[in-house]
Amino acid sequence: MTTQIADFETVIGLEVHVQLNTRSKIFCGDDTSFGSDPNTQISILSLAHPGTLPKLNREAIRKAVQLGLALGCEINRHTAFDRKNYFYADLPKGYQITQDREPICKGGAVEIKMPGGQKKTIRLHHIHLEEDAGKSIHDQSPRHSLIDLNRAGVPLLEIVSEPDLRSPEETTQFMETLQRLVRWLEVSDGNMEEGSLRCDVNISVRRIGEEKYGQRCEVKNVNSMRFARRAIDFEVGRQISILANGGKIQQETRGFDPATGQTFSQREKEDAHDYRYFPEPDLPPVRISEEFLEEIKTALPVLPQVLENAFFEKYQLSPADSEQLTTDRGTADFFQKILENASPDLAKPLANFIIQKIKPWADENGKSVSEIPLSTAQIIDYLQIIETGKISASTAAQRLFPILIEKTGVLPSDLAAELNLFQTSDTAFLEKIIVEVLEKYPEKVQEFRKGKKGLMGFFVGEAMKLSRGKADPKLTGELILKKLME
């Protein structure tokens, strides 16, 4: 099978569904908050009672344009809605209001970055607005499927990529990049576990060198990065096995079973004509004015990848640290706010402090980094006493930071003095500690004197432990070396 797989190329296109975080649904005023009791966020409009008429949510248009601009799309100044006709129990109207002929955004691209650092541009075909369906629940009753219509009518953006993806890893990077962007722009919470971000994965394979795409199968409603990778791996293997044995791939819609890691057939894949699209008669076309477009452009924040590059170039941060600081807008804003009041040479220490201490604290406590109970002045003082060598980074992290979080308003330098944490250059004190360390490990002293110079770090570390972090590492190392050379 390895040889057969090497003979084939995987081709993947995505249809990503982003649930917009508007307060009300796209065509009525029903609440959209997550987690309410089933069928409590409905009305005669979302239930499609006869005679009810939709009214478009302006905020959904605004958020669609925001995302489209951020992705470099052409914004369609004249956009319209259509009816997509199909019957399913969680679709009250018997049709879905969507966009077929004139989607709100055309073209655009997503730049993904692979773990090795190489970048790839994934083209977008279009982005369109539509209403979500309800939710069918099949595992709560042995005899019946249950329907929750709270989600029916929630605004969705469907982002349709070109078939430019070639692996599960690229697919994951595409989804993670989109997730970061929709959260950054605050158009969606992007929570896959709550269904705010999910995707249909169109998968085909073709022999290496062929230009024509193979027959694709669509795996529906994949709601986690891990499931997407597993579904693609299985489906690619399944299709290659069929082709290698002389079979043909049937165009179909498939589901994914997380318990088995396998995809399974659901139905034959529909074509566009099967849905009998026609213009939505109850909604007029939408005209997007230059003023409205300019207002949204002006309000757009600096995008995460732009800021990531700026941190790398301006502050010489590592690519990994620059990416970590721009995983969410709150962290990037927090980093910049602190630096507005600090010397630029504190940029690297500040980045390390945020990544290694503040972000973990925020994650553990279910808070954002900006909610840490430390002022800008406290953070700068904390970094300065480390950078000037008054206290070691490990002592600050292990002994000073936990107390600072609990105390309000005290400067780290004052607290360090109170706790007697400042490093000492007292030669007599250090020599006493060094003698204790060397007497404790005579065999390692002999190994060092026989040429095992890497033990120097061990001796310094033991001296630091014995001094409870107060020993000046540089001076301690010099004194140890002098003692060992006697």
Side-chain angles (χ1 to χ4, degrees):
M1 180 60 76
T2 303
T3 305
Q4 293 170 352
I5 289 176
D7 293 338
F8 287 87
E9 178 183 41
T10 301
V11 179
I12 302 167
L14 296 179
E15 298 169 17
V16 181
H17 298 88
V18 178
Q19 192 178 97
L20 299 179
N21 56 1
T22 56
R23 291 173 60 187
S24 57
K25 295 181 180 180
I26 188 169
F27 300 123
C28 67
D30 299 351
D31 183 31
T32 60
S33 55
F34 179 81
S36 299
D37 290 337
N39 298 310
T40 57
Q41 294 166 206
I42 54 177
S43 66
I44 59 172
L45 280 91
S46 54
L47 294 175
H49 284 200
T52 55
L53 295 173
K55 183 178 180 181
L56 180 60
N57 186 333
R58 178 185 174 92
E59 191 63 17
I61 295 289
R62 177 184 293 276
K63 290 179 182 292
V65 172
Q66 278 181 292
L67 185 59
L69 289 173
L71 291 170
C73 303
E74 174 193 346
I75 307 301
N76 197 345
R77 308 304 173 81
H78 183 281
T79 184
F81 289 90
D82 302 276
R83 286 191 183 181
K84 180 180 181 180
N85 295 275
Y86 67 95
F87 176 78
Y88 203 70
D90 58 16
L91 191 70
K93 289 193 289 286
Y95 61 86
Q96 179 189 39
I97 300 178
T98 182
Q99 293 187 306
D100 178 45
R101 298 163 297 121
E102 298 180 278
I104 193 164
C105 304
K106 298 177 181 178
V110 174
E111 184 180 80
I112 62 173
K113 183 167 62 176
M114 300 305 292
Q118 65 272 31
K119 296 180 180 180
K120 181 176 179 178
T121 298
I122 308 301
R123 297 169 299 152
L124 301 180
H125 184 273
H126 74 271
I127 302 174
H128 66 258
L129 267 168
E130 62 186 19
E131 61 181 335
D132 207 347
K135 185 177 181 181
S136 298
I137 303 165
H138 306 293
D139 57 0
Q140 292 189 12
S141 169
R143 300 181 60 189
H144 301 96
S145 289
L146 307 180
I147 304 295
D148 179 7
L149 293 174
N150 282 349
R151 203 171 68 185
V154 168
L156 286 183
L157 279 182
E158 182 169 329
I159 303 167
V160 182
S161 84
E162 297 287 3
D164 291 348
L165 297 153
R166 294 292 178 267
S167 69
E169 293 73 26
E170 288 185 4
T171 302
T172 297
Q173 287 300 314
F174 183 93
M175 291 296 293
E176 289 179 348
T177 302
L178 272 183
Q179 185 180 56
R180 175 170 75 158
L181 183 60
V182 299
R183 289 174 171 173
W184 191 277
L185 296 174
E186 298 177 349
V187 301
S188 172
D189 61 29
N191 290 334
M192 295 192 78
E193 64 274 13
E194 295 179 2
S196 301
L197 183 70
R198 53 192 191 270
C199 67
D200 301 338
V201 189
N202 292 286
I203 305 165
S204 66
V205 296
R206 62 183 175 185
R207 292 192 180 274
I208 297 293
E210 285 187 0
E211 293 187 9
K212 184 180 178 182
Y213 293 127
Q215 185 63 266
R216 66 187 172 91
C217 293
E218 181 180 28
V219 182
K220 296 286 285 186
N221 288 326
V222 181
N223 63 355
S224 85
M225 310 290 185
R226 186 167 62 92
F227 290 169
R229 290 193 296 270
R230 292 174 65 198
I232 292 168
D233 281 336
F234 176 83
E235 185 61 21
V236 167
R238 186 188 73 87
Q239 292 187 23
I240 290 175
S241 178
I242 291 172
L243 294 174
N245 287 290
K248 291 186 177 180
I249 306 300
Q250 300 299 314
Q251 180 174 318
E252 62 182 340
T253 296
R254 299 179 68 84
F256 173 70
D257 184 351
T260 64
Q262 299 181 358
T263 66
F264 57 91
S265 181
Q266 291 183 321
R267 60 182 182 272
E268 290 185 4
K269 174 66 180 167
E270 299 89 346
D271 290 315
H273 64 264
D274 294 320
Y275 291 117
R276 295 182 296 113
Y277 284 100
F278 64 84
E280 170 55 57
D282 293 332
L283 285 168
V286 177
R287 295 186 184 277
I288 297 176
S289 68
E290 288 294 333
E291 293 77 15
F292 183 69
L293 196 58
E294 195 57 39
E295 175 192 332
I296 296 174
K297 280 182 183 177
T298 303
L300 274 180
V302 178
L303 298 179
Q305 286 180 318
V306 174
L307 209 52
E308 181 183 331
N309 292 334
F311 287 171
F312 172 71
E313 293 171 3
K314 183 176 180 180
Y315 302 116
Q316 286 77 55
L317 301 183
S318 69
D321 285 355
S322 299
E323 184 175 1
Q324 279 277 316
L325 291 173
T326 54
T327 50
D328 65 90
R329 193 166 152 192
T331 300
D333 288 346
F334 183 78
F335 175 73
Q336 293 181 102
K337 176 191 167 190
I338 302 298
L339 273 187
E340 286 174 3
N341 299 279
S343 169
D345 58 11
L346 282 181
K348 289 184 181 180
L350 175 60
N352 291 334
F353 184 48
I354 291 173
I355 293 166
Q356 295 172 11
K357 297 302 295 183
I358 297 182
K359 279 179 73 72
W361 173 89
D363 292 341
E364 287 169 14
N365 292 276
K367 297 179 181 292
S368 66
V369 294
S370 62
E371 292 179 282
I372 193 164
L374 295 176
S375 67
T376 298
Q378 285 177 296
I379 291 173
I380 292 173
D381 186 62
Y382 179 92
L383 297 174
Q384 285 176 334
I385 61 175
I386 296 172
E387 291 304 299
T388 54
K390 292 180 179 178
I391 188 172
S392 71
S394 60
T395 299
Q398 294 167 17
R399 301 189 59 196
L400 193 58
F401 180 77
I403 300 173
L404 276 174
I405 294 296
E406 301 300 327
K407 285 199 171 188
T408 305
V410 62
L411 278 178
S413 53
D414 293 338
L415 183 59
E418 180 186 327
L419 297 173
N420 195 26
L421 297 179
F422 282 134
Q423 291 183 155
T424 180
S425 299
D426 183 338
T427 305
F429 170 76
L430 295 177
E431 285 180 341
K432 181 182 176 183
I433 286 176
I434 289 166
V435 168
E436 287 186 47
V437 170
L438 299 183
E439 287 180 349
K440 186 177 180 181
Y441 299 102
E443 71 286 353
K444 293 193 181 295
V445 171
Q446 292 303 316
E447 289 176 25
F448 179 88
R449 287 173 173 162
K450 289 178 181 178
K452 199 170 181 180
K453 304 304 182 185
L455 284 169
M456 177 59 73
F458 169 79
F459 292 131
V460 173
E462 289 299 307
M464 292 296 292
K465 275 195 264 183
L466 199 56
S467 70
R468 301 191 69 190
K470 291 183 63 180
D472 181 313
K474 183 178 178 183
L475 180 57
T476 300
E478 292 172 357
L479 293 172
I480 290 173
L481 184 60
K482 182 180 177 182
K483 196 73 176 173
L484 288 168
M485 300 304 288
E486 289 179 355

